[in-house]
Every structure is written in structure tokens, then in C-alpha cells.
Amino acid sequence: MLHMISHGLASARPPLLIAHGLFGSGRNWGVIAKRLSDSQQVVAVDMRNHGSSLWSPDHSYEALADDLAEVITSLGGRANVLGHSMGGKAAMMLALRHPDLVARLTVADIAPVAYSHSQQRNIDAMRALDLTTLDGRAAAQAALLPALKDPALAAFFTQSLDVKARAWRLNLDALEANMPKILGFPDVAGAAFDRPALFLSGATSDYVTPAYRPQIKALFRAAQFAKIPKAGHWLHAERPRAFEAALRAWLDAA
């Protein structure tokens, strides 16, 4: 089963399960998860091929969804689910494959569509890093910066670096091999999720455009839409308090 980080205590209220995005981990959501755990149990997982979870050559969204289903079953059989980016696609697939396990769905800045952007430069940058010569995350960030040109991205990637073991907590081979699947979305003709679903996006992000709404509504018939002002794709990191407030209001409306 996926590696889990649990905050708060189980109660009559459904737990909140958080699925992170590509190259991330459950630890990335620590602050938000702890704050939200004042009113419900919150469980952040490491998705397969990330963090401390299993490594596998299969990184399809069907497999990721079934991983989440196994976690929810272990937590009692029903949960509110939040997923960002890749985790959002996994959460959508979970809701379509196992609708009875999902009470309320929150999809953060992603749509059930194929995207054309490439992650190859990021994989190449991480692979090119000589981990044997680095003595800490600061050195790793500095070494990544010339290739990435983005200090925030370098800092984010090095959160998945095991400095002591001098290894990435990312199965870069499997992620690279499965990148077309990760950027895409499976054919789910005939499937639909009728329970509450919130598509929460960054106002300055182009990941969820009005053109995608018909596709979203076809699969998620009760879909609602909201935006976090002055936030891009990493809306939970850029505007954590605004993101938390929007999520609390949505979950408290149940």
C-alpha cells in the first residue's frame, strides 16, 4: 500500500485524502494537512514511483486510482479526496472507477484532458546531477539551477532527494517511460461521477480553461468551478491560506 502521512484523528466525518502532483510527495502538503486536521483526519500519500511508496513500471492512471482506492478502503471505505495536477488526474480516475469510495472530490488545477508540455528537461536535469559530490540540498539546488532556471523548481525537486543515500526518491525511469500517459488521460467513455466535485484552479494558470468545461461536466455532472486569485498552477504553494480557506468552505458545505 502507498506510504501514508496521517494528521488528526479518525472521526464520524470522512477523512481527507491528498494526492500530490508529479515529482512531489505527501510531505509537500504537510502544513496544509496539519492545519486542516483540526476538523477531520487528513492523510497525505506518496504516489507510486514517488517518495517512500512502491516503484513500479506501471504508472497508468488506472493503477494510481486503484492505489488510492486501497488506501481509502483501509481508512474505512469512504473519503473526501483532493488531488493536484497528476494527483488530480488520479483522483478523477478514482472517482470514475470507484465512485462509492469518494464523498466529495476536489481537483486542483488540472482537467481530464491531454496536455502537450514536456517534463523531459526536468528529468534530464535530475538525472545529470552527480549526487556523489553533493553534501546537502542547498548544493543540489545550486547545481540544478543552471538547467532549470527556476529557484522554486530546484527547491521543490530537492525535497525528493535523499541526501544521506545520495539518491532520488523518484523512479525517474518509470516516470519518463510513462510520460505520455501522465500527460494524457484515459478513455473513460460511459463513466461518470455524480457526487459533488470542485475544480479549483489558479486564476493565472492555463491548465483549466473554459474550453475544457464541457469535457469536465460530461464526466463530473455536479462539477463546480472556482479560482484562487493571484495564483498559478502551484496554487496551494503560492496562496496556501486562500487555498485552505476555499477547501474548508467546500468541505464544510457537505
Side-chain angles (χ1 to χ4, degrees):
M1 193 160 60
L2 298 180
H3 176 71
M4 299 184 290
I5 305 171
S6 182
H7 304 271
L9 300 175
S11 66
R13 189 175 186 180
L16 173 64
L17 176 64
I18 301 178
H20 64 79
L22 183 63
F23 304 133
S25 71
R27 290 192 307 163
N28 300 151
W29 287 82
V31 173
I32 288 176
K34 286 176 184 176
R35 289 179 61 86
L36 290 170
S37 69
D38 63 355
S39 57
Q40 70 235 291
Q41 183 184 21
V42 182
V43 176
V45 296
D46 290 345
M47 304 296 280
R48 64 168 57 199
N49 294 315
H50 293 74
S52 299
S53 285
L54 72 152
W55 282 24
S56 168
D58 183 2
H59 200 83
S60 65
Y61 282 116
E62 292 88 347
L64 270 64
D66 290 349
D67 289 343
L68 297 177
E70 184 181 25
V71 171
I72 293 174
T73 300
S74 78
L75 294 174
R78 202 153 187 251
N80 294 315
V81 181
L82 160 66
H84 172 250
S85 201
M86 179 196 76
K89 285 188 171 182
M92 285 188 278
M93 199 65 189
L94 166 71
L96 294 169
R97 284 171 70 85
H98 307 281
D100 291 343
L101 299 181
V102 182
R104 292 173 84 82
L105 174 68
T106 309
V107 181
D109 211 68
I110 202 73
V113 302
Y115 292 87
S116 60
H117 55 264
S118 173
Q119 296 289 341
Q120 192 60 48
R121 184 188 72 167
N122 296 327
I123 290 176
D124 290 344
M126 283 185 274
R127 271 218 186 98
L129 208 60
D130 184 359
L131 301 177
T132 65
T133 65
L134 301 176
D135 57 5
R137 284 195 176 83
Q141 289 176 32
L144 282 172
L145 200 52
L148 299 179
K149 314 294 186 188
D150 184 344
L153 202 57
F156 170 67
F157 287 160
T158 55
Q159 289 182 47
S160 292
L161 180 62
D162 186 334
V163 176
K164 186 176 180 179
R166 298 184 182 274
W168 290 105
R169 293 193 185 96
L170 299 167
N171 187 349
L172 295 176
D173 289 344
L175 296 177
E176 180 179 42
N178 285 274
M179 197 55 65
K181 291 180 181 178
I182 295 170
L183 295 176
F185 195 75
D187 181 359
V188 288
F193 180 72
D194 293 321
R195 290 199 179 92
L198 175 65
F199 285 76
L200 184 60
S201 305
T204 64
S205 171
D206 60 0
Y207 274 69
V208 185
T209 69
Y212 296 152
R213 289 197 176 189
Q215 291 159 277
I216 293 171
K217 293 288 284 186
L219 296 174
F220 304 93
R221 294 169 179 158
Q224 299 180 40
F225 300 88
K227 291 184 181 293
I228 301 294
K230 300 178 182 177
H233 182 60
W234 300 93
L235 64 174
H236 60 291
E238 296 168 21
R239 300 288 310 282
R241 294 296 175 264
F243 182 90
E244 177 196 336
L247 187 59
R248 279 188 188 276
W250 168 246
L251 295 176
D252 289 346

